[in-house]
Amino acid sequence: MRTGEGLSGFDWPETYRDFDIAILRDGTWTYQGDPIRRHKLCQLFATVLQRDEAGQYWLVTPGERGHITVEDAPFTAVEMREDHDEQGRKTLSFRTNLDYWVTAGEGHAIRVTENPETGEPAPYIEVRDGLDALILRPIFYDLVARAEEIPVSGGIALEIESAGSRFCLGRVPEAAAD
C-alpha cells in the first residue's frame, strides 16, 4: 500500500515563480490549461506539494519552488475500504486519485464543511501536512450510511469511527430526524 508521503523538512528556496499548474476540483492536474495525462508525473509532483501558512500551494524542492493553483483540495478520495487494525479497531482507509492510501484517525482527520456556493456538505480527509482530499460524493454517501446516530440537543449527530478516533459528518435537526 503506497501512503504518498511527501518530501519535506528542508528550507524553502528564497526565489520562486508561478508554474502555471492547477489542480481542478475533480483532481485533474493541468499545465497551461491542458490536463497532465501522465499519471506518474502527477504522482511525482504530489510528493513535493506543500502548503504554506497562508494556505497557498507550492511545488517545493531543495533547488526551486513554484506556486500552483488548487481549486478546492489537491487530492480526491475515490475509494474507501473498511478493515481492522492490530488492536482490532475498525479502520476506514481512503485511496486518492493518485493511488495513495490514507487511514482516517489521529493525524488524518475527516472533516465536513459546507460548500459556500451550494450549501451542500463538503467532506475532506487530511492526507498529510495540511493537504486534504475531497471525499467524492459516492464515498461520502457510503460514510453516512455507516455512521452512528448520536442524540444531541435539538436532533442527532452522524458520527463515524476509525482507528480509535471519532468524526462528525453532520447534524440533523430534530424535526428532520423524525
Side-chain angles (χ1 to χ4, degrees):
M1 180 182 331
R2 300 181 54 196
T3 60
E5 293 300 316
L7 175 65
S8 62
F10 52 83
D11 292 330
W12 287 18
E14 292 280 329
T15 59
Y16 66 90
R17 60 191 176 121
D18 186 342
F19 282 162
D20 202 9
I21 292 175
I23 304 173
L24 306 181
R25 188 170 199 280
D26 69 358
T28 301
W29 287 61
T30 66
Y31 175 66
Q32 296 182 338
D34 293 326
I36 298 173
R37 300 191 195 302
R38 295 184 60 206
H39 192 69
K40 294 276 187 200
L41 185 59
C42 294
Q43 288 175 322
L44 176 64
F45 286 157
T47 66
V48 296
L49 182 62
Q50 304 281 330
R51 188 172 188 190
D52 67 18
E53 299 82 26
Q56 297 293 310
Y57 293 91
W58 302 84
L59 297 181
V60 183
T61 70
E64 69 177 337
R65 70 179 165 133
H67 177 260
I68 69 168
T69 301
V70 177
E71 283 187 353
D72 189 343
F75 307 105
T76 55
V78 299
E79 180 184 348
M80 179 181 70
R81 72 173 177 224
E82 184 176 321
D83 210 343
H84 292 85
D85 64 13
E86 48 279 344
Q87 287 90 24
R89 301 176 302 185
K90 178 175 80 170
T91 60
L92 298 171
S93 297
F94 297 82
R95 182 176 62 86
T96 72
N97 56 310
L98 295 180
D99 298 325
Y100 297 121
W101 285 91
V102 60
T103 299
E106 187 177 334
H108 301 285
I110 295 172
R111 67 182 173 82
V112 181
T113 64
E114 187 176 288
N115 183 317
E117 296 172 12
T118 64
E120 294 179 359
Y124 301 90
I125 181 167
E126 184 175 348
V127 175
R128 63 172 168 81
D129 304 322
L131 301 175
D132 292 332
L134 173 65
I135 299 171
L136 296 184
R137 188 174 311 231
I139 308 304
F140 183 59
Y141 288 165
D142 191 11
L143 268 177
V144 169
R146 296 169 188 248
E148 181 181 353
E149 295 182 3
I150 308 293
V152 295
S153 176
I156 59 169
L158 299 174
E159 293 188 0
I160 195 83
E161 186 173 339
S162 177
S165 297
R166 294 189 69 79
F167 307 101
C168 183
L169 302 179
R171 297 184 185 279
V172 179
E174 194 169 339
D178 291 335

